[in-house]
Structure formats: C-alpha cells, structure tokens
Amino acid sequence: MSTSSLQTETSRPLPFPLLVSPSAPLPSAMPNTGSPPRSRPGSASGVGAGAGRRCGRVTRVDLLTVVLAATLCSASYSLSIWHNSRGAADGSVLGLVAGDSVCGDADEELDFEARHTAENAGLSVSEPSSSARRALRAEGAPAGSIYRVPFPWPVSRAVVWAANSARGLAVAEAAAAAGERWARVDGDMLRFTDAGAVRAYADVVLRLVAAPVRTALDIGAMHGGSWATEMLSRGVLTESVAAPWGASDGALVELALERGVPAMLAAPSRRGLPYPVAAFDMAHCGRCLVPWHLYGERFLMEIDRVLRPGGYWVHSGAPRNDPRERAVAASMCWRKVADPDQNGVTVWQKPVSHIGCNAGEGAGKFPRFCTGQHREDKRDSNIEPCITPIREGAAPREGTTEKLRHDGETWRGRVARYKAVVTQLGQKGRFRNLLDMNARLGGFAAALADDPVWVMNVIPATGGEADKLGAIYQRGLIGAYHDWCEPMPTPAMSYDLLHADSLFTLYKDRCDMEGILLEMDRILRPGRSVIIRDDIDNLVKIKNVISVTDRMKWDVQIVDGENGSDDADKILFAAKSSCNDDDRDQEQ
C-alpha cells in the first residue's frame, strides 16, 4: 500500500462507533451528556409571547408549583437512598451501572475448614490433556447466552452479571449449599457478600507480615478474586491463579476477571508457573489444600522460586501445622513468622540470602540447590526437585534508569495517540482488563499507571527476551510468559483491550497469522477494541485475513502513528462487533 493510499484511507471516517476520526484530538474532558434546561415561555431568558411577563407578587399558582417541586425532589431523594441501600444496580449505556457503590449482605466470619478437594482449590497436580488444550482454544460463551458489558470498576468489585460466568455462578451456588456463603444470586446478578470478612482476614495477614508488599500471588483465586480485590484496594497489585482443569474448570478465575482483577489459568503442579524468578513479595493460599501426599515438596519449591528474597508464603486453612510443610520449609531455610494455632494462618518468610543455608544436607531426602539455568524461566517446563539459589549481589535485570526514562517518554506519546482514536481508553470506567501481547519493558502499562485499569504484560516465549519480564516485575507491574502459537490460559472474553506491538513481525515464521487472530478474537469481549502496531505490510495482511474470516466480526482501520506519515510502523485499530450472539449460536 502506498503512502498516498494510506492517507486517503485514514481520511475517511471510521466505520464503527467505538472510534473517532484518526485526526481527532483527545478530548480534555468527558462530554456533558445532560440536556440543557429549556427556556419556558415567560422565563427571563425566553422569547415569544410569554417573554414580556413582568415579575410581580407571588401568586397561588407559583406557590403550588414550588411546593410540588419540593415534594417531588424529596420523594426522588428518598427513593434513591432506599434504592442504593439495598444494593440495586441500575443499567445505563452499554450495561454500565449508574452509581459507584454496591452494598451486600452482612458479612460472615471466614471459615478455613476444608470442604473441597485439591482440584477444586485450583491445585491439581495432574496435567491438562491435549483435548483440554483444544477445548480452551474453542471455548466461547454458553449457547444461547448474551454477554453483557461488565459493571465498571469499582462497582464490579461487588457485583457481576450472573450470565457472564455460568460456571462461576455454579461454583458460588455450590459453595452456598455447603455453607460457604461468599456470594448470593440477586436477580440476574451475582453479588459478593464477603467484603467485611476478607477485609478482617487481610488485616490479620498484613499485620503478621509487617513488611511492604507491592505484588502478590493468590493461588486458588480465593472466592473468585475476593482476596485480590481487597489487596488491590490496599495498593498491592495481586494476581489470582487457579488450575485450568479439574472440577472447578477455571470458574474462579473467570469470576475474578469479570470483577476486574488480574487472573490466569495456572497452577504450581508438575509444571512451573509462567512467572520469572523473584517476582512476588507474597504468595497466598487461602481456603485451599496443598497436595502434600503427591507433589507438596515441588509445590513449595515453585513458590520459593517466584518469591523475592525475604518474601512471604501465607497459608490458611487445612492442613494446619502439617509436618511435611514444616520439613520442606526448613530444608529451604524458611523462617516461620506466624503459627496457625494463634490466628489460623501460617506465615513463612524466605531468606534474604542463601549464605549459610545448608539446603539438602543431612539424611539426603530434601532437595539441594539447582544448577545450570537456576530454573529462572519456567514457561512450560517440568519443575525440578531443587531450590533456586538466590543470586548474591546480582545487578538489576534489563534496563537502566536512562533506558526506562526514554521508554516511558516514548510510550506516553503512543498512549496519547491511542486515546485520541480509541476514545473509550481515555474514559475512566469504560475499560478495565488490558492485555499487552508483546510487552517488552512494560512501557504501555507504565503509561497507563494513573488510569483505573490493569495490564497483563506478556513476554512471548520466543525472541530471547525472557529477562525483560523480571524487569517488568521490578517496576511494580505484572505479567507472564506465553507462546502465542498456543491458546492463552485464560477464559473466553477476558479482556477489554488487546495491544500488540510488532507481535506479528516476531511470529512471522513461527505460526499462522490467522491462528493468532482467532485466539485474540476468543479472549476479547464483544464491543471492545484491538490496537496492533506493526509494519504496514503485516497490517495489510492482517486486514485481509480479518475480511475473509467469517468467525471474526471486526471493524478495522489503519492509521498513521503519533509522528505522522513519516513513521515506518502504522497502527491498526479494530473493534469487535457486539452483535455476535446469533453467529455464535449458529456455530454451535
């Protein structure tokens, strides 16, 4: 495509309502959606027959009007107070709620007794079969369902549309039947009623930890993201994980994503978690079972790998004071901070250094230190029965202060361009879950740090950029390794916006472009947006693939970058149609 033809294309108005003209400036404020008051005949500003009416003494009609207006205002105010007090949520444009708070039922004290299996807790030690991976690729909304735009943050912390997560609804109902009432059905909504109990529990945990926590990992996705939601309110970026197989079938992760908190389908089983070494300040496992009788030692060794030196392992619920946990923790030189007999919570601290730690000595049944690559980049490899050594005096990974400063300036300019085109990105509450498919140093996420969104930064499992994920975590962001030739371990319709910077150039000779695009379509919510920055030849191919693929209902436009037509890279903006329910039913 020539430059002249591209300029002609970008001069046309975009064909879908989510975007505005590519040349439009970013609005300085949200438009006023209210209607201006109309001048009545006879008002001071009116024109016409009644405009010349003189102001005289107060008439009976004027007094009755004032009394009637005051009565109506009082009734409306009282009705709104009653309406909000019962936790009702009104819908507005695109299903977004009006109001910024939702009240639930009285909270109960948390019960940490085990009522489920390890698989239900997201701690399965079995491996996903090839058929399970294919099912993840083909996953979509339940037949006959209509996906509704989630409630905006922070309202979504307490309420989700029940039909958006049928599996999550089933898990919540089963938990309620078993006496674990952390959510209840309210018409077509599912309300989470455990805020007070989780808040009190978090107070206990953080008091025991008594150290700054910036990033945390919630294993088992407690109550569908309730723990992560509470930690987010305290400034701790928390990611929930649960197994993509087993009885729960990722339902708790699905609920967490619907609520607007970071979550992935993953579990520290025989394969490692998709995170770098020393990524989290805290790892938490509440109301879940550690399968000590199978691979409990490897489970804790993987937790040790992803914890930063001096990080904390918090385990509540059965089994309490398990001798196997104590033995493995001691073999890794962990220090017990809190005993479960006092608060029902076990807290262990990883050492800040392995100097003087005699791991594996003695009878020889406990693991020794790893050698070679130190298992720093697990991705999809088996967990080795060894302890990842702490690198003494290691220099900070990837990225100097100057490099990060330059990266920040670059991405602030790019994100400003994005917001000028995808207007929803610049409107607080419209987007929440964002995915950067080739995150590099996390500049895209850093440029959005002040917005009420979170970004999953993915480092592709190719291209030799593994260490950059460690740099992303050092910036206080989150992310994961993933190979885009495979389906991403996340439920369908997880994200509001997908961002791909040079991703298709990176995967040009590795796997089929259409396969990556179909996976993007699966995890993107209806009515939401895609931003692809790449070489113009790749963007034209992408546009052609989308136009001939029946399963993809995307409206597409290619525009110049933030520096105008001189940029070699161009930007493809796309919006997924929100009218795809009939098509999905026909496919099934």
Side-chain angles (χ1 to χ4, degrees), residues 239 264 274-276 455-458 469 472-473 477-481:
E239 182 170 355
M264 282 189 69
Y275 310 118
V455 181
M456 178 62 70
N457 296 281
V458 172
L469 188 54
I472 286 173
Y473 275 91
L477 305 172
I478 59 171
Y481 297 113

Side-chain angles (χ1 to χ4, degrees), residues 256-320:
L257 288 165
E258 280 296 313
R259 298 174 74 176
V261 299
M264 282 189 69
L265 297 170
S269 57
R270 285 186 299 186
R271 292 189 180 274
L273 292 165
Y275 310 118
V277 67
F280 298 97
D281 298 310
M282 176 196 296
H284 166 264
C285 181
R287 308 190 75 167
C288 64
L289 295 175
V290 177
W292 299 107
H293 61 296
L294 294 174
Y295 295 98
E297 294 181 7
R298 297 191 181 192
F299 176 97
L300 274 191
M301 282 184 275
E302 181 63 359
I303 296 299
D304 180 84
R305 184 186 71 85
V306 300
L307 277 179
R308 289 173 177 154
Y312 293 86
W313 161 242
V314 179
H315 178 207
S316 58
R320 295 182 179 179

